[in-house]
Amino acid sequence: MNAISISNLAICYDEQPILTDISLTIEEREFFVIIGPNGSGKTSLLKAIAGLITPTAGRINILGREVGDYTRKRLARCLAMVPQQMPTDFPFSVAETVLMGRSPHLGFMASEQQEDYNIAKQAMEFTNITNLAGRRLDQLSGGERQRVIIARAICQRPRILLLDEPTASLDPAHQINIMDLLAELQANYDVTVVMVSHDLNLASLYGNRLLLINQGTALRIGTPQEVLEKKLLEEAYGCAMLVDEHPLAKVPRILPIPARLSGN
């Protein structure tokens, strides 16, 4: 069974087309990365998969069931989303924030049981934030906060994890730490990872398959080698690119070329 199936998806805001005729399938336990220029519709696609916005046309199936047929709580039991930005001014500790991931599994007016605390503890251990349990989010660095939000999502015990630019504004070491964490979830815990990213090299290194979107249209879906082609990237991003092979991973490596070096 596919984790996600999308057929002829279209999204409009105020009659302005955002996505047009998007069709794709994402297999269970796949690491799938959505790339494309700013304003191309990447985040809108992720929100539609999460059931946060209603498509103008088309269908989205999550684990064999149309997304609109899920209640919010039932959908949250199988799918978790890590947004691009998370408010840090609410007065909760790291441990309390992570434990919030158990709410979809609680009955009406029910409180957390020992099992829920155990799952939250495991999520904090997995993301290496146990030492931060008593601190507030506004006391953390960007990389630490991102781990907390991912731990909260893991605490939901989802089969599908959606992430909107989880490495944005992080330094290279924190970027790799977050990506390694997601790769371990995908490889060892049977989680389907669907991520929006502006970093083409991280997408190449970690993605099993990529979707390149531009101006609301799917330009290509495939492996990093199939999608990260020089001509296609230059057309999508509007700048010169150098594409060669990563010396260790044997996947495409992409370098944007400044105008003063490109001869244009």
Side-chain angles (χ1 to χ4, degrees):
M1 178 171 60
N2 292 319
I4 300 168
S5 298
I6 300 175
S7 302
N8 308 117
L9 181 72
I11 295 174
C12 295
Y13 293 149
D14 297 326
E15 300 184 357
Q16 178 69 30
I18 303 299
L19 291 171
T20 304
D21 197 26
I22 302 291
S23 295
L24 60 93
T25 59
I26 299 174
E27 298 177 4
E28 288 194 273
R29 298 175 294 279
E30 188 171 12
F31 200 127
F32 191 89
V33 186
I34 304 167
I35 59 174
N38 287 335
S40 58
K42 303 184 299 297
T43 296
S44 294
L45 176 57
L46 207 67
K47 288 181 176 179
I49 294 171
L52 299 177
I53 57 177
T54 303
T56 309
R59 297 169 63 92
I60 301 175
N61 281 11
I62 304 296
L63 298 169
R65 182 176 179 179
E66 191 162 1
V67 66
D69 291 340
Y70 284 92
T71 63
R72 291 303 310 162
K73 177 172 279 193
R74 188 173 293 276
L75 183 61
R77 290 173 185 166
C78 62
L79 183 151
M81 182 166 179
V82 175
Q84 189 175 55
Q85 294 183 334
M86 187 73 185
T88 60
D89 56 354
F90 56 98
F92 295 107
S93 70
V94 166
E96 290 168 332
T97 301
V98 174
L99 188 60
M100 291 176 188
R102 296 305 300 156
S103 59
H105 300 274
L106 302 180
F108 180 67
M109 298 295 288
S111 58
E112 294 86 357
Q113 303 299 309
Q114 187 58 49
E115 181 185 8
D116 300 305
Y117 288 101
N118 291 341
I119 291 171
K121 180 175 180 289
Q122 292 167 8
M124 288 190 289
E125 289 173 349
F126 180 75
T127 52
N128 197 27
I129 59 169
T130 304
N131 62 314
L132 306 174
R135 294 172 62 182
R136 299 194 314 268
L137 288 190
D138 61 359
Q139 299 174 324
L140 306 181
S141 69
E144 290 169 337
R145 281 198 300 272
Q146 199 68 304
R147 283 179 172 268
V148 172
I149 303 309
I150 292 173
R152 187 182 70 171
I154 292 171
C155 203
Q156 290 179 225
R157 291 287 176 93
R159 293 171 63 181
I160 301 170
L161 181 61
L162 309 179
L163 306 104
D164 192 0
E165 297 188 49
T167 61
S169 303
L170 299 182
D171 63 46
H174 283 95
Q175 288 181 1
I176 292 298
N177 287 339
I178 292 294
M179 295 301 294
D180 284 346
L181 179 69
L182 297 177
E184 185 176 354
L185 270 176
Q186 177 257 340
N188 298 329
Y189 293 86
D190 294 337
V191 175
T192 302
V193 176
V194 182
M195 183 181 86
V196 166
S197 180
H198 276 300
D199 193 313
L200 299 179
N201 287 300
L202 289 180
S204 182
L205 283 167
Y206 289 89
N208 302 131
R209 288 192 304 143
L210 316 181
L211 164 64
L212 175 59
I213 299 179
N214 190 28
Q215 297 180 346
T217 300
L219 296 185
R220 188 171 296 174
I221 303 171
T223 65
Q225 291 85 351
E226 292 168 337
V227 174
L228 299 175
E229 292 185 349
K230 174 181 170 63
K231 182 178 180 181
L232 185 64
L233 292 176
E234 290 180 339
E235 290 175 354
Y237 287 90
C239 67
M241 300 273 193
L242 173 64
V243 180
D244 59 10
E245 185 178 74
H246 192 288
L248 301 178
K250 306 302 181 184
V251 295
R253 179 176 59 178
I254 301 92
L255 294 173
I257 302 176
R260 62 185 177 82
L261 299 178
S262 66
N264 295 330

